[in-house]
């Protein structure tokens, strides 16, 4: 299977690693939208939140058990936002489940700036 994030996990494509253990990898986004912009991915290929099942959801819990530590390692010391895009309407561009951890600066209060 040809998956960009699987290739990053395997080390075939280099990444700027922030955290790694047996289940997950966290690395800096190639096009950061804030001083801290880290992607957390499960090593097991799951396409998106649509692919989360009772059989594989433990890795999602694992990600959230480590998110505070990863945010700090990534440079978000005063709060952060966690976002996942699922599917076409959400503009998911890489079909491997990933959580954006964004911080290191004051973020807008809402996702949609016109609501601020
Ligand atoms: P999304 O739009 O939610 O599917 O986010 C995909 C993110 O992946 C996007 O913010 C840019 C990032 N990205 C794409 N290709 C690469 C890459 O080769 N390396 C890294 N580090 N990030 C990438």
């Amino acid at each position: 299977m040809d998956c960009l994030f699987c290739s990053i996990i395997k080390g075939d494509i280099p990444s700027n690693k922030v955290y790694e253990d047996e289940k997950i990898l966290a690395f800096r986004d190639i096009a950061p939208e804030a001083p801290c912009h880290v992607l957390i991915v499960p090593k097991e290929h799951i396409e998106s939140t649509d692919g989360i099942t009772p059989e594989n959801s433990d890795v999602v819990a694992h990600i959230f058990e480590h998110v505070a530590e990863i945010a700090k390692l990534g440079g978000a010391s005063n709060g952060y936002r966690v976002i996942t895009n699922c599917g076409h309407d959400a503009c998911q561009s890489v079909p491997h489940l990933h959580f954006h951890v964004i911080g290191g600066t004051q973020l807008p209060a809402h996702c949609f700036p016109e609501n601020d």
Side-chain angles (χ1 to χ4, degrees):
M1 192 176 37
D2 204 17
C3 168
L4 175 63
F5 287 173
C6 286
S7 296
I8 288 177
I9 290 160
K10 278 192 274 174
D12 293 345
I13 294 176
S15 69
N16 193 339
K17 193 194 301 182
V18 172
Y19 174 88
E20 181 172 19
D21 64 27
E22 71 286 0
K23 291 183 177 174
I24 63 175
L25 176 69
F27 54 94
R28 294 193 187 275
D29 195 289
I30 204 168
E33 295 186 16
C36 168
H37 189 166
V38 174
L39 303 174
I40 311 177
V41 302
K43 289 189 172 177
E44 172 189 356
H45 183 86
I46 300 170
E47 196 150 307
S48 70
T49 51
D50 277 351
I52 297 171
T53 66
E55 288 70 41
N56 65 20
S57 61
D58 60 315
V59 76
V60 180
H62 187 79
I63 284 170
F64 280 89
E65 285 162 15
H66 289 276
V67 70
E69 177 188 358
I70 291 168
K72 277 208 182 66
L73 290 170
S77 57
N78 197 33
Y80 54 91
R81 184 168 289 160
V82 183
I83 297 169
T84 188
N85 296 316
C86 177
H88 177 274
D89 283 4
C91 304
Q92 181 181 4
S93 61
V94 180
H96 182 126
L97 180 65
H98 53 283
F99 295 88
H100 298 253
V101 179
I102 296 170
T105 188
Q106 179 65 60
L107 301 172
H110 302 102
C111 277
F112 303 104
E114 61 270 22
N115 292 334
D116 281 336

